[in-house]
């Protein structure tokens, strides 16, 4: 049986310290796993340290810091660009094999089974905005889950990110409106909601953002669209960035804005629908928010949609490696926050 380091967050029924301790333990087990160590070795990490899970925290955090420095230098294929601009330069079969072992241990290449959620209580189903076809793919997955939990509210979370031309052919596969009327991620995921859930009429509350430039004002704007549906209730929320002068809203910004807008109470259960490759990184990035707000948070992975064709490709080894790096970074940030040495 393959090892599983899915970083599923412990239940909100547990005390805060217990949730933190259990998450830290999972982080330590994965960072010190044979698969990740083997992958690091192939790329020349060559650390003389070979720790075990039982080693003291100081030794572990020293080792983790070394790993973070190495992956930042060697596995950052984005260099500040978008994920779809990553160039795959990995030709060595041993690289690919080692990467795949880590990918499998993190569940980055498999869809999350919805069977386990048939007996769970879910209050909100949250398809997350994304690029290319992911708005539609995640919305379809949200629709599947809403059939199991029709009592749950569905709220797409996105930002007013301007679309790239590379995304247009994917959005055209499902959009009802002409592409001249679809310019942001918020527009794209609304098209997906209306097609998949069959919702048309809506009320909308929008607030323009403040700032010194058009980009900053766009990053600071937000909008709540409430569709006129009965079961399930369907919403779409674009969120403002916490630093609009620097960047657009990220996933944490959208989740915080959702929690404030809907006044989500402690003990509520949120099921965020993403793409499987991003689950480890997003889970650890959002974990502090879920822990501090005493929320249950599930990250549910999607891969396939009804619109996939023969041209659909699996993420490249470099794309997988980039997200493994992101997961290492998220582990480090979580550890610095909750177990400072």
């Amino acid at each position: 049986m393959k090892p599983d380091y899915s970083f599923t967050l412990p239940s909100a029924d547990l005390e805060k310290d217990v949730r933190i301790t259990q998450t830290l333990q999972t982080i330590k087990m994965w960072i010190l796993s044979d698969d990740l160590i083997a992958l690091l070795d192939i790329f020349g990490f060559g650390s003389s340290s070979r720790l075990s899970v039982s080693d003291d925290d100081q030794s572990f955090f020293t080792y983790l810091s070394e790993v973070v420095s190495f992956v930042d230098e060697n596995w950052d294929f984005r260099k500040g660009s978008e994920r779809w601009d990553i160039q795959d330069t990995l030709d060595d079969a041993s690289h690919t094999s080692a990467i795949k072992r880590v990918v499998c241990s993190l569940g980055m290449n498999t869809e999350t089974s919805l069977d386990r959620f048939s007996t769970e209580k879910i209050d909100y189903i949250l398809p997350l905005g994304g690029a290319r076809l992911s708005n539609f793919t995640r919305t379809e997955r949200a629709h599947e889950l809403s059939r199991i939990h029709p009592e749950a509210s569905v709220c797409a979370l996105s930002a007013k990110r301007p679309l790239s031309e590379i995304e247009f052919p994917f959005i055209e596969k499902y959009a009802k409106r002409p592409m001249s009327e679809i310019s942001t991620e918020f527009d794209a995921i609304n098209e997906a909601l209306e097609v998949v859930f069959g919702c048309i009429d809506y009320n909308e509350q929008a607030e323009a953002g403040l700032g010194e430039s058009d980009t900053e004002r766009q990053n600071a704007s937000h909008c709540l669209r409430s569709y006129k549906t009965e079961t399930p209730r369907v919403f779409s929320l674009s969120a403002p960035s916490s630093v609009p002068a620097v960047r657009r809203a990220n996933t944490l910004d959208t989740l915080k804005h959702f929690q404030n807008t809907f006044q989500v109470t402690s003990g509520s259960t949120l099921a965020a629908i993403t793409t499987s490759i991003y689950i480890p990184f997003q889970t650890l990035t959002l974990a502090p928010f879920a822990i501090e707000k005493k929320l249950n948070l599930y990250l549910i992975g999607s891969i396939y949609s009804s619109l996939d064709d023969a041209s659909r490709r699996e993420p490249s080894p470099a794309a997988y490696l980039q997200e493994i790096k992101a997961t290492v970074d998220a582990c480090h940030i979580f550890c610095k926050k909750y177990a400072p040495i």
Side-chain angles (χ1 to χ4, degrees):
M1 184 175 181
K2 68 180 180 65
D4 176 17
Y5 307 101
S6 57
F7 297 111
T8 301
L9 293 180
S11 170
D13 292 336
L14 299 172
E15 293 295 326
K16 174 181 173 179
D17 288 350
V18 175
R19 297 182 84 189
I20 291 170
T21 298
Q22 291 185 3
T23 303
L24 287 169
Q25 187 68 6
T26 304
I27 287 172
K28 193 172 186 180
M29 290 175 64
W30 178 63
I31 292 294
L32 300 178
S33 66
D34 291 341
D35 287 338
L36 183 58
I37 287 172
L39 179 60
L40 289 164
D41 283 347
I42 285 175
F43 280 85
F45 178 50
S47 172
S48 59
S49 302
R50 279 296 176 264
L51 308 178
S52 69
V53 175
S54 61
D55 281 318
D56 66 273
D57 288 343
Q58 178 65 71
S59 298
F60 172 70
F61 293 133
T62 299
Y63 176 79
L64 176 56
S65 296
E66 293 174 2
V67 174
V68 169
S69 296
F70 180 83
V71 300
D72 284 349
E73 182 178 350
N74 294 274
W75 295 353
D76 183 6
F77 295 89
R78 291 180 65 179
K79 304 297 183 185
S81 65
E82 298 290 355
R83 284 180 167 90
W84 55 76
D85 289 329
I86 290 175
Q87 301 297 314
D88 192 1
T89 58
L90 303 174
D91 298 322
D92 193 318
S94 65
H95 291 169
T96 301
S97 178
I99 291 167
K100 284 295 181 68
R101 284 194 293 273
V102 176
V103 163
C104 288
S105 73
L106 289 172
M108 297 167 72
N109 61 345
T110 55
E111 286 201 320
T112 304
S113 171
L114 298 183
D115 291 344
R116 59 165 290 203
F117 299 103
S118 60
T119 59
E120 297 278 358
K121 166 185 162 289
I122 292 180
D123 300 297
Y124 300 98
I125 299 171
L126 310 173
L128 304 180
R132 298 195 181 191
L133 195 59
S134 60
N135 288 306
F136 183 82
T137 304
R138 297 171 188 181
T139 299
E140 278 198 324
R141 196 76 167 142
H143 189 249
E144 289 180 47
L145 187 58
S146 75
R147 289 178 172 175
I148 301 172
H149 291 280
E151 75 288 352
S153 295
V154 176
C155 185
L157 304 184
S158 64
K160 291 290 185 71
R161 173 183 66 82
L163 297 173
S164 166
E165 287 189 12
I166 199 172
E167 299 177 79
F168 292 165
F170 297 91
I171 297 169
E172 285 175 333
K173 291 183 178 183
Y174 62 85
K176 301 187 283 65
R177 292 184 294 164
M179 287 305 302
S180 59
E181 299 178 21
I182 303 171
S183 61
T184 67
E185 180 183 279
F186 180 62
D187 297 333
I189 204 164
N190 289 340
E191 288 293 298
L193 283 172
E194 292 169 19
V195 169
V196 173
F197 284 89
C199 48
I200 301 174
D201 297 328
Y202 58 84
N203 296 318
E204 193 167 271
Q205 299 169 278
E207 185 169 327
L210 301 177
E212 297 181 358
S213 67
D214 289 342
T215 298
E216 184 177 358
R217 287 189 288 273
Q218 185 173 44
N219 288 345
S221 67
H222 53 94
C223 183
L224 172 62
R225 180 175 291 192
S226 305
Y227 285 96
K228 297 178 181 180
T229 59
E230 294 183 3
T231 304
R233 294 177 297 169
V234 179
F235 305 89
S236 184
L237 185 67
S238 77
S241 170
S242 55
V243 283
V246 178
R247 58 164 174 77
R248 62 180 182 264
N250 60 22
T251 305
L252 181 57
D253 289 334
T254 64
L255 199 59
K256 287 180 175 179
H257 186 60
F258 165 76
Q259 194 264 337
N260 289 330
T261 301
F262 283 76
Q263 298 182 331
V264 180
T265 57
S266 298
S268 297
T269 299
L270 318 181
I273 315 297
T274 186
T275 304
S276 297
I277 188 175
Y278 306 130
I279 284 182
F281 159 70
Q282 288 182 324
T283 298
L284 289 169
T285 300
L286 301 176
F289 169 80
I291 290 171
E292 299 299 334
K293 296 295 183 180
K294 298 181 180 179
L295 299 171
N296 289 303
L297 176 62
Y298 299 117
L299 272 291
I300 296 176
S302 60
I303 296 178
Y304 309 104
S305 82
S306 63
L307 297 179
D308 288 330
D309 54 31
S311 65
R312 184 193 173 281
R313 296 184 301 169
E314 181 181 5
S316 67
Y320 277 130
L321 207 58
Q322 178 72 48
E323 298 311 317
I324 293 169
K325 172 208 173 307
T327 303
V328 171
D329 290 340
C331 288
H332 191 225
I333 291 169
F334 189 92
C335 289
K336 286 198 297 183
K337 180 177 181 63
Y338 289 114
I341 297 297

